């Protein structure tokens, strides 16, 4: 059960097109919040934030570290507060989505779209806690997909309110995790269909609207984990949305404990064994230091598919180059701004800049023509590097060899090289299918590398932060030594390429 999110599908538990949605996402801060049905009563919002004194905070961090270390079955329950340092606004904070909406100010603005947000220090710390065997399960109320982008295993994650980047087939239950935000919410039809040749049903989004019931499979696994847990650690959640907010208390009924880390008071504070009022990143960084656990860097991998087809007409060849998503024509390449196509060894072939998706170029050349074609991919805002290149050698009279490389191995090597050399822009070819008059290849790119320094959390926003807001919940949260910016790759539950 391993793989990469950009090209996977995983059996389990009237709309705009993908390209239209990509254009809109560049202007919106949080598409999910804008798509939700209006609801007058969303609970208490705009509560004041509390901060424990430095001495008290340090004592509580040490106490929490001991609780985590002694725990035999730790479950983490997360809310919007763990994502604010990535630039995603929360809902109930002083400058949260619902707080501003109630004040008539609308949804917060952002400088980068939702799909470019990167996992926070806390997200990556949870990955390491799971790898170390301390963390058994994560229950999330978030729809931002940052847990999966971080690399947290899908089989150990329950997403109670859905995922803005995930579609599901209602017939065969196959899940498709995308690198772009799905166009709809409320379990509606999307523009794409199931890739299974024996199915082909129209896919649906997975994000709940107000009146939608929690998905039974996610809810059942979450409740079971809470009943089993001897410690449920609640991070960045106001614990107000029912029925999800009552799940952590199931641990107490079976002799377990609840610990809460949140800047605002919650209705469950009196039942918790430990309540910490502090920045989630700072608290978790402190716990990781005490436990002598390293917070792994975040490395994002993106994918493209190249298609080169040609037809012979007398002594000429008319050929077409297309650059598309591995998910098909209806899936936007959210990390690409444009593609420059040049021909280094052919002065008679003019270069061109492709600006519109799907990226396509048509030319006509001699049948005996042999040339090199250089594709320079210009990345969108939020990527850790500005561009990367692919060189293609074209010979219409000679068919290339087809191959499929071990994807998990190639991606692991790609990420290790990127981490060791501390730079984004690494790329590798994963597979190639060569037919008499067509060639298809899939390429992987490392576009981001983010390092998290748990020793010093008192610095400005990380490079690539996508919020212009001055909110205290979105600034001064984590020091990221950024050779990249934002993006993702992760693992999932029962993956298929």
């Amino acid at each position: 059960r391993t793989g990469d999110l950009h090209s996977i599908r995983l059996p389990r538990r009237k709309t705009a097109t993908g390209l239209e949605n990509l254009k809109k996402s560049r202007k919106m801060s949080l598409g999910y919040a804008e798509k939700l049905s209006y609801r007058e009563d969303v609970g208490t919002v705009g509560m004041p934030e509390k901060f424990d004194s430095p001495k008290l905070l340090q004592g509580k961090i040490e106490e929490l570290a001991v609780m985590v270390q002694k725990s035999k079955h730790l479950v983490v329950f997360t809310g919007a507060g763990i994502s604010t340092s990535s630039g995603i606004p929360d809902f109930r904070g002083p400058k949260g989505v619902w707080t501003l909406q109630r004040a008539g100010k609308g949804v917060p603005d952002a400088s980068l779209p939702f799909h470019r947000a990167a996992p926070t220090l806390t997200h990556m710390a949870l990955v390491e806690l799971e790898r170390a065997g301390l963390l058994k399960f994560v229950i999330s109320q978030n729809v931002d997909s940052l847990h999966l982008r971080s690399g947290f295993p899908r089989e150990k994650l329950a997403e109670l309110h859905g995922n803005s980047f995930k579609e599901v087939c209602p017939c065969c239950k196959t899940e498709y995790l995308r690198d772009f935000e799905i166009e709809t919410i409320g379990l509606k039809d999307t523009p794409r269909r199931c890739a299974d040749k024996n199915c082909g049903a129209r896919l649906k989004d997975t994000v709940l609207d107000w009146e939608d019931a929690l998905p039974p499979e996610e809810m059942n696994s979450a409740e079971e984990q809470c009943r089993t847990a001897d410690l449920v650690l609640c991070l960045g959640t106001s614990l107000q949305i029912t029925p999800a907010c009552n799940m952590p208390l199931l641990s107490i009924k079976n002799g377990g404990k609840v610990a809460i880390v949140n800047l605002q008071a919650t209705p469950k504070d009196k039942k918790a064994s430990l309540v910490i009022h502090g920045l989630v990143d700072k608290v978790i960084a402190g716990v990781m230091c005490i436990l002598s656990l390293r917070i792994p860097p975040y490395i994002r991998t993106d994918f493209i598919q190249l298609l080169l087809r040609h037809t012979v007409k007398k002594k000429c060849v008319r050929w077409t180059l297309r650059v598309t998503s591995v998910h098909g024509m209806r899936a936007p390449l959210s990390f690409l701004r444009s593609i420059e196509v040049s021909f280094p060894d052919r002065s008679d072939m003019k270069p061109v800049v492709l600006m519109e998706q799907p990226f396509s170029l048509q030319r006509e050349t001699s049948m005996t023509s042999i040339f090199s074609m250089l594709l320079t991919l210009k990345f969108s805002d939020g990527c850790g590097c500005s561009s990367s290149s692919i060189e293609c050698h074209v010979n219409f009279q000679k068919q290339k060899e087809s191959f499929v490389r071990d994807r998990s191995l190639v991606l692991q090597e790609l990420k290790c090289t990127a981490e060791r050399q501390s730079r984004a822009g690494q790329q590798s070819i994963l597979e190639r299918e060569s037919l008499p008059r067509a060639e298809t290849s899939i390429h992987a790119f490392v576009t981001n590398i983010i390092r998290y320094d748990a020793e010093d959390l008192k610095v400005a926003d990380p490079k690539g932060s996508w919020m212009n807001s001055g909110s205290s919940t979105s600034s001064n949260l984590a020091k990221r030594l950024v050779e990249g910016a934002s993006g993702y790759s992760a693992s999932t539950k029962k993956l298929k390429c």
Side-chain angles (χ1 to χ4, degrees):
R1 296 187 175 186
T2 59
D4 199 285
L5 291 180
H6 299 266
S7 55
I8 56 117
R9 54 193 184 93
L10 41 157
R12 172 194 142 88
R13 51 173 194 165
K14 220 170 203 170
T15 66
T17 67
L19 297 182
E20 289 170 345
N21 184 66
L22 174 63
K23 294 175 182 177
K24 291 179 180 179
S25 71
R26 288 171 177 160
K27 300 178 181 179
M28 65 175 59
S29 59
L30 193 59
Y32 164 62
E34 292 188 341
K35 296 169 191 170
L36 275 173
S37 300
Y38 178 75
R39 181 165 175 167
E40 183 68 30
D41 181 18
V42 295
T44 305
V45 300
M47 295 183 295
E49 294 179 340
K50 298 182 178 181
F51 292 87
D52 291 331
S53 67
K55 183 177 180 180
L56 178 60
L57 180 63
Q58 182 59 34
K60 288 183 176 181
I61 290 174
E62 292 173 2
E63 183 179 352
L64 178 59
V66 172
M67 294 173 71
V68 169
Q69 190 172 41
K70 289 184 175 180
S71 174
K72 301 299 181 183
H73 197 100
L74 170 65
V75 171
V76 170
F77 187 88
T78 66
I82 76 162
S83 297
T84 52
S85 60
S86 74
I88 298 176
D90 61 19
F91 289 88
R92 303 176 187 276
K95 294 190 177 182
V97 172
W98 293 334
T99 304
L100 294 181
Q101 284 183 335
R102 180 167 290 184
K105 297 181 180 179
V107 178
D109 292 329
S111 58
L112 285 179
F114 201 18
H115 59 262
R116 295 311 305 181
T120 66
L121 180 149
T122 297
H123 287 98
M124 299 309 301
L126 296 181
V127 171
E128 185 63 22
L129 286 170
E130 188 279 326
R131 290 174 181 170
L134 294 172
L135 176 57
K136 306 302 181 183
F137 202 81
V138 167
I139 303 165
S140 181
Q141 302 168 94
N142 300 337
V143 300
D144 53 30
S145 200
L146 292 185
H147 281 302
L148 291 178
R149 294 184 196 185
S150 72
F152 198 86
R154 175 66 177 101
E155 64 271 14
K156 296 185 179 181
L157 172 68
E159 295 179 306
L160 298 181
H161 298 156
N163 186 320
S164 288
F165 297 82
K166 185 171 68 179
E167 301 172 285
V168 64
C169 176
C171 297
C172 67
K173 307 305 178 184
T174 300
E175 292 181 355
Y176 296 84
L177 196 59
R178 310 302 197 186
D179 53 6
F180 56 90
E181 190 178 359
I182 306 305
E183 299 85 344
T184 61
I185 71 165
L187 314 180
K188 299 182 180 67
D189 288 345
T190 74
R192 290 160 292 277
R193 293 186 176 274
C194 180
D196 191 326
K197 295 180 180 179
N198 297 321
C199 182
R202 179 64 64 84
L203 300 180
K204 292 183 179 293
D205 72 74
T206 61
V207 175
L208 307 185
D209 206 342
W210 281 111
E211 303 305 321
D212 296 316
L214 293 184
E217 191 170 349
E218 305 287 331
M219 182 173 64
N220 292 341
S221 61
E223 289 180 340
E224 180 183 353
Q225 290 293 326
C226 286
R227 290 191 182 97
T228 305
D230 57 3
L231 175 61
V232 177
L233 175 56
C234 302
L235 301 176
T237 171
S238 63
L239 294 171
Q240 289 195 54
I241 298 295
T242 58
C245 68
N246 295 318
M247 289 184 182
L249 302 184
L250 296 174
S251 172
I252 298 177
K253 293 182 178 180
N254 291 285
K257 297 179 179 180
V258 171
I260 299 173
V261 182
N262 198 53
L263 285 178
Q264 298 168 312
T266 82
K268 313 300 182 186
D269 285 357
K270 292 182 179 180
K271 296 184 179 182
S273 299
L274 177 64
V275 176
I276 303 177
H277 294 300
L279 299 171
V280 176
D281 279 354
K282 185 168 186 176
V283 172
I284 295 303
V287 170
M288 297 295 283
C289 285
I290 294 171
L291 297 177
S292 299
L293 292 175
R294 167 181 176 262
I295 299 175
Y298 167 68
I299 300 176
R300 170 169 175 149
T301 308
D302 287 291
F303 300 84
I304 66 165
Q305 180 174 249
L306 299 184
L307 300 97
L308 182 64
R309 293 190 175 93
H310 69 275
T311 56
V312 179
K313 186 178 181 181
K314 296 183 179 180
K315 294 183 179 181
C316 293
V317 175
R318 180 170 295 172
W319 54 272
T320 301
L321 170 71
R322 288 187 182 274
V323 182
T324 67
S325 166
V326 293
H327 307 303
M329 296 288 286
R330 285 185 171 271
L333 287 162
S334 58
F335 74 104
L336 282 186
R337 183 193 305 275
S338 63
I339 299 177
E340 295 180 0
V341 185
S342 60
F343 308 90
D345 55 357
R346 291 290 299 271
S347 59
D348 59 320
M349 299 176 71
K350 294 183 179 180
V352 64
V353 178
L354 307 178
M355 300 292 294
E356 296 293 330
Q357 296 196 35
F359 299 111
S360 181
L361 172 66
Q362 289 188 342
R363 288 288 175 88
E364 190 172 283
T365 58
S366 166
M367 181 64 187
T368 58
S369 181
I370 300 175
F371 57 90
S372 294
M373 180 165 50
L374 182 66
L375 307 182
T376 302
L377 286 72
K378 300 291 186 178
F379 297 142
S380 60
D381 294 339
C383 289
C385 50
S386 60
S387 64
S388 188
S389 300
I390 299 175
E391 187 172 8
C392 304
H393 299 282
V394 182
N395 184 347
F396 295 113
Q397 294 182 310
K398 183 178 180 181
Q399 186 175 333
K400 293 182 180 178
E401 180 181 357
S402 298
F403 61 85
V404 177
R405 302 174 66 187
D406 185 318
R407 175 165 296 205
S408 60
L409 181 60
V410 172
L411 293 179
Q412 185 60 37
E413 291 176 350
L414 193 64
K415 293 175 182 178
C416 286
T417 302
E419 181 178 357
R420 185 171 61 252
Q421 297 183 1
S422 298
R423 68 182 181 88
Q426 299 284 341
Q427 68 108 349
S428 182
I429 183 170
L430 299 176
E431 61 183 79
R432 181 169 65 207
E433 181 182 14
S434 188
L435 302 174
R437 292 187 180 179
E439 178 185 311
T440 302
S441 59
I442 295 177
H443 301 253
F445 293 83
V446 170
T447 59
N448 305 89
I449 305 171
I450 302 176
R451 301 181 188 279
Y452 305 82
D453 188 347
E455 298 295 331
D456 182 6
L457 299 181
K458 297 179 180 180
V459 296
D461 281 344
K463 179 181 178 182
S465 176
W466 59 299
M467 282 291 289
N468 287 327
S469 166
S471 170
S472 61
T473 58
S474 64
S475 63
N476 300 325
L477 291 177
K479 180 180 181 182
R480 301 183 185 181
L481 301 181
V482 182
E483 287 87 20
S486 52
Y488 65 76
S489 63
S491 58
T492 59
K493 195 177 257 191
K494 199 173 181 181
L495 310 182
K496 289 186 178 179
C497 294

